[in-house]
Amino acid sequence: MESSSSKLATGFSSPRPLIAWALCDWANSAFSTINITLIALYLSQHVFPAATWGNLSGVMYPLGLGLATLFAAVASPIAGALADAHASKSRWLAETTLLGSAAAILLGVIPLESPLAIWACYVVLVFCFELAYGFYSAFLPEIAPAEAMNRVSGWGFVCGYVGGGLVLLIAMLIIYYGGYDPVKNPDPWPLRAGIVLLGIWWSVFTIPAMIWLRDSATTKSDPLPWRAAVRQAVGQVMHTLRNLSQFRILAIFLAGYLFYNDAIQAVISQASLFAKADLGFTAVELIQLVLLIQFLAVPGAILFGWLADRVSPWRTLMLCLALWALLIAGAWFVREKSHFWIMGVALAFIMGGTQAVSRGIMGLLTPRQRAAEFFGFMSLSSKAAAFLGPGLFAAVFYVTGEYRPAILSLLFLLLIGWAIASRVDVAAGRKAALAAEESVMK
């Protein structure tokens, strides 16, 4: 018989849903690490080599990432509303995961003679990852009580950092023992094997969630035909937008999250360009740095998640954003590889805390009955502006020809997001979410 404390910690009479939820982070974080290392290298140097594709060689990877992210931004709130209306988050999570995993495997096995087919698989992979992440995150209000929301979110990120780091470590061993060298031995089979590993890893470790995670809400209506269901979902999304004043604090948080998260993601994704061009990092050194960041993010997620629950989610987020501002400003003074390694350690620690606390705050501000839809809006908030950070970075680099001012420009976006998020009253937002839950139950 389960103790009451166990029920309080998990939100269920069994720990299985909590374990399954955390394993989703373990599973899908394989995409995060493999995407910015192996896939980026594979697409830019082998699928679209500069000798054949010219300037398009460096465009196809970010173009595919940007298009897929844009499609996901539009689809996320609509798919979330559909999932809420039919209490089907678990089914959507399973389907998007399996489709994305299949796309990853195909990306690795399709011959190089079909570059556009490979690129299309990459677009599908990114699109499915973004949707699946939204459905997985939407289970947070159902598996964790309010007083443990940030800690549970933090532990999910812990699993993600460890899982993503382990799969990248395995991929690096495949590359090392496979003898891959972009100059002396350019056969990309080790890269392709690592990409296939991503697809297998993602699907296998999501199986517990497919079995154990079930929507706590009941179906609101009988299933509708597909077109009618989509129209209903779009109508629900528009209704939410028109009546967002009911969740004004949530809207303020999403607006702030849009800016500060885009700045953070741009720093993470563009820092490798600075490391390679200005500091002379090799591909192996970059993979080692990513591994370091993955594992050092673990104590950051744990510490800041604990701090948010014990002190205040708002104060913890403000601390995280202040540290990010110092980190971005400090990039201007980086001149040696050793400096960049130190920056990587600091980035890892802050990154884990910021992501965990942001998701925890979102869970507190979200009514459980509309979790998938609202987390879809969180996905929309982060993806609709996906070109802001990279676009600003590229524009400043184009004008100056230097990476330091380009990175420093991202501080502007962070400060905007910080200023907006500082107006969020988490306690009042939580009351509004609980009131919305009670009105639905009545």
Side-chain angles (χ1 to χ4, degrees):
M1 183 174 180
E2 299 287 341
S3 67
S4 59
S5 61
S6 175
K7 292 182 181 180
L8 177 64
T10 64
F12 284 86
S13 59
S14 166
R16 288 180 177 178
L18 181 61
I19 295 172
W21 185 83
L23 279 176
C24 282
D25 238 332
W26 173 284
N28 63 36
S29 289
F31 168 82
S32 301
T33 54
I34 297 296
N35 179 49
I36 62 175
T37 52
L38 273 65
I39 294 179
L41 181 61
Y42 182 58
L43 290 181
S44 62
Q45 294 195 11
H46 298 283
V47 180
F48 301 102
T52 304
W53 292 81
N55 290 338
L56 285 175
S57 174
V59 170
M60 297 303 289
Y61 168 70
L63 178 63
L65 181 64
L67 285 177
T69 303
L70 181 62
F71 296 154
V74 175
S76 290
I78 298 174
L82 280 170
D84 283 335
H86 300 107
S88 58
K89 292 193 300 293
S90 57
R91 178 172 62 83
W92 277 88
L93 174 62
E95 292 175 352
T96 51
T97 296
L98 293 175
L99 180 58
S101 298
I105 293 172
L106 287 174
L107 194 159
V109 302
I110 293 176
L112 290 173
E113 290 75 19
S114 303
L116 294 181
I118 295 174
W119 186 77
C121 287
Y122 177 63
V123 173
V124 173
L125 166 61
V126 177
F127 177 77
C128 289
F129 167 78
E130 298 290 356
L131 286 186
Y133 184 82
F135 292 117
Y136 146 73
S137 296
F139 275 103
L140 178 60
E142 298 185 13
I143 68 167
E147 62 271 17
M149 194 83 68
N150 291 283
R151 274 173 288 166
V152 172
S153 178
W155 278 108
F157 276 110
V158 166
C159 289
Y161 294 134
V162 175
L166 283 178
V167 76
L168 183 59
L169 178 60
I170 296 171
M172 187 176 73
L173 293 175
I174 294 173
I175 291 173
Y176 178 78
Y177 288 105
Y180 172 77
D181 186 294
V183 177
K184 298 178 181 179
N185 183 22
D187 185 350
W189 79 261
L191 300 179
R192 301 174 72 175
I195 296 170
V196 171
L197 173 64
L198 153 63
I200 296 172
W201 183 283
W202 186 14
S203 58
V204 168
F205 285 107
T206 308
I207 289 176
M210 299 178 192
I211 298 174
W212 292 336
L213 281 185
R214 291 291 179 267
D215 296 67
S216 61
T218 56
T219 304
K220 298 176 183 178
S221 59
D222 294 331
L224 297 173
W226 176 251
R227 291 184 179 179
V230 171
R231 285 197 299 269
Q232 184 185 71
V234 172
Q236 179 62 54
V237 170
M238 298 306 296
H239 175 76
T240 301
L241 286 173
R242 288 192 298 266
N243 295 278
L244 204 56
S245 58
Q246 180 185 358
F247 305 100
R248 185 181 62 85
I249 296 173
L250 175 60
I252 293 173
F253 172 72
L254 287 176
Y257 178 81
L258 182 153
F259 286 99
Y260 77 70
N261 182 68
D262 197 55
I264 291 170
Q265 295 305 317
V267 170
I268 295 171
S269 64
Q270 306 303 317
S272 61
L273 298 177
F274 170 57
K276 289 184 68 175
D278 282 22
L279 303 176
F281 271 69
T282 66
V284 173
E285 286 176 324
L286 282 175
I287 290 178
Q288 291 171 341
L289 180 61
V290 172
L291 283 172
L292 175 72
I293 290 174
Q294 285 296 117
F295 291 114
L296 288 184
V298 170
I302 295 174
L303 174 62
F304 284 104
W306 174 86
L307 190 63
D309 284 330
R310 289 297 180 92
V311 180
S312 162
W314 180 85
R315 288 191 177 93
T316 305
L317 178 62
M318 294 300 102
L319 174 61
C320 288
L321 295 181
L323 293 175
W324 268 109
L326 292 174
L327 184 66
I328 296 175
W332 180 269
F333 302 99
V334 173
R335 294 292 187 275
E336 305 290 341
K337 282 186 177 181
S338 59
H339 298 164
F340 198 81
W341 280 98
I342 294 172
M343 295 284 287
V345 171
L347 183 148
F349 194 71
I350 304 168
M351 180 181 70
T354 309
Q355 291 178 326
V357 174
S358 295
R359 188 166 63 181
I361 290 176
M362 183 66 188
L364 290 171
L365 303 180
T366 300
R368 284 182 298 172
Q369 294 89 342
R370 302 175 73 176
E373 180 187 352
F374 279 19
F375 271 92
F377 274 106
M378 187 180 191
S379 178
L380 173 63
S381 175
S382 62
K383 296 173 185 59
F387 288 105
L388 274 179
L392 179 60
F393 181 94
V396 174
F397 176 77
Y398 179 79
V399 173
T400 64
E402 297 181 7
Y403 284 108
R404 285 183 182 83
I407 292 178
L408 189 61
S409 69
L410 299 174
L411 183 60
F412 175 68
L413 293 180
L414 182 83
L415 292 177
I416 293 176
W418 187 5
I420 297 173
S422 67
R423 300 175 55 202
V424 172
D425 185 335
V426 177
R430 180 60 182 166
K431 290 181 180 179
L434 291 175
E437 291 178 10
E438 292 176 359
S439 65
V440 172
M441 294 177 64
K442 291 178 181 179

